[in-house]
Amino acid sequence: MISYCNVSKRFNSEGSPAVDSVTFDVADGETLVLLGSSGSGKSTLLKMTNRLIEPTSGRISLDGEDVMRGDPVKLRRKMGYVFQGIGLFPHYSVRANVGIAPRLKGEDAATRDRRVSELLDLVGLPEREYAERFPDELSGGQQQRVGVARALAVDPKYLLMDEPFSALDAMTRHVLQQELLRLKETLKKTILFVTHDIFEALTLGDRIAVMHNGKLEQVDTKETILAKPATDFVRELFAKPVRQLAACGAFMEHGPERAGEKER
């Protein structure tokens, strides 16, 4: 379990905190989505989890251990990290990019190659076709798949994902969201996923934590958030998507004319 207890972060002692006294838990095997607009504190909170950013106050614990008490390098090796920029090494092949973490860990070449082959198959990029390609020979969606494979290369218990699909087109984003749902069922990882996209949050999250101006507005299942928003902000945030989902349901059930009447 990942636990956040009164976690705050200030980048400027005179300004408002980027994260303000946030408390919640992420259960083992859960996908929890941090949802919020730019500047809401969601990415800062994610990066404090693996100490890319260190909290000003409060406590973050991983399986009961305070993350600030250990070696940050060892901490990060327990966590896969996937982010929007992907960050593949351009002069490394796909095989080398995915295998870099096992190599740094000291695994022998045969073990690394076997692991790379398994992971590329897992993310839908067969080794025989993709292992020797370079990043500039891949589409954006394929590069992001390589990024996911690289994050999984040392079999981390936790997977941190910081808006990994936001730069991709809608069709590719949808495909990768479905792939992530499949991987979740296959691998049983605990996933902390950051997004500003409400529909992505509804698609992926077992629970959603809504952030606004550094504060946690609500953390709950999507069903509860849609039915019982805890604050006016959450209610307003989800009001339009709720109408769109209702209109879509009416369209599927009654056709365009009746759906238009229902929406009005």
Side-chain angles (χ1 to χ4, degrees):
M1 181 174 70
I2 309 173
S3 181
Y4 303 84
C5 183
N6 292 321
V7 175
S8 295
K9 177 63 183 179
R10 287 182 178 272
F11 292 103
N12 185 330
S13 60
E14 296 180 357
S16 300
V19 174
D20 190 1
S21 300
V22 167
T23 298
F24 67 94
D25 296 329
V26 185
D28 187 36
E30 178 181 31
T31 296
L32 187 135
V33 174
L34 290 168
L35 173 67
S37 60
S38 177
S40 63
K42 60 190 188 301
S43 290
T44 299
L45 187 61
L46 183 83
K47 290 174 181 176
M48 286 194 285
T49 309
N50 67 353
R51 292 181 60 182
L52 288 175
I53 295 174
E54 298 198 344
T56 303
S57 61
R59 172 186 166 102
I60 301 172
S61 58
L62 196 69
D63 298 328
E65 297 291 328
D66 189 336
V67 299
M68 295 300 295
R69 292 187 176 178
D71 182 345
V73 175
K74 291 182 179 178
L75 172 70
R76 290 166 196 151
R77 288 177 180 170
K78 297 178 182 179
M79 300 182 178
Y81 185 56
V82 186
F83 50 96
Q84 180 179 337
I86 306 172
L88 301 181
F89 294 100
H91 302 302
Y92 280 18
S93 68
V94 167
R95 183 190 304 280
N97 266 287
V98 176
I100 192 167
R103 179 169 65 81
L104 293 172
K105 192 179 176 183
E107 292 184 3
D108 61 80
T111 302
R112 288 200 310 269
D113 284 346
R114 183 167 58 252
R115 180 67 175 153
V116 169
S117 178
E118 291 171 353
L119 287 168
L120 290 179
D121 284 341
L122 187 67
V123 299
L125 300 174
E127 177 191 20
R128 65 184 180 277
E129 187 176 351
Y130 291 97
E132 305 311 323
R133 294 191 188 184
F134 288 84
D136 64 0
E137 299 176 287
L138 305 175
S139 69
Q142 289 168 342
Q143 289 183 36
Q144 198 57 276
R145 288 171 187 259
V146 175
V148 172
R150 184 177 61 183
L152 295 171
V154 291
D155 195 24
K157 183 176 180 181
Y158 302 96
L159 190 59
L160 309 182
M161 308 188 77
D162 192 359
E163 304 213 45
F165 308 146
S166 62
L168 304 173
D169 65 85
M171 288 294 292
T172 302
R173 190 162 64 245
H174 172 74
V175 169
L176 290 180
Q177 288 166 1
Q178 298 307 308
E179 282 294 307
L180 182 60
L181 290 172
R182 180 183 64 81
L183 287 175
K184 176 191 170 183
E185 291 302 313
T186 303
L187 300 175
K188 310 299 182 185
K189 302 293 184 186
T190 302
I191 301 173
L192 197 58
F193 190 103
V194 167
T195 186
H196 64 270
D197 186 309
I198 294 173
F199 289 105
E200 186 165 68
L202 293 170
T203 298
L204 298 177
D206 295 316
R207 288 189 301 152
I208 300 171
V210 181
M211 299 284 295
H212 179 57
N213 290 338
K215 294 183 179 293
L216 181 65
E217 295 277 335
Q218 184 172 0
V219 56
D220 231 318
T221 64
K222 53 195 170 188
E223 292 83 6
T224 300
I225 285 178
L226 291 173
K228 298 178 180 179
T231 67
D232 290 341
F233 175 81
V234 176
R235 182 179 297 106
E236 292 171 8
L237 181 68
F238 282 89
K240 184 176 180 180
V242 166
R243 290 196 300 271
Q244 290 173 328
L245 289 169
C248 182
F251 181 91
M252 296 298 291
E253 184 176 357
H254 302 296
E257 292 184 4
R258 292 284 302 279
E261 292 173 3
K262 187 176 182 64
E263 187 174 10
R264 289 193 294 270

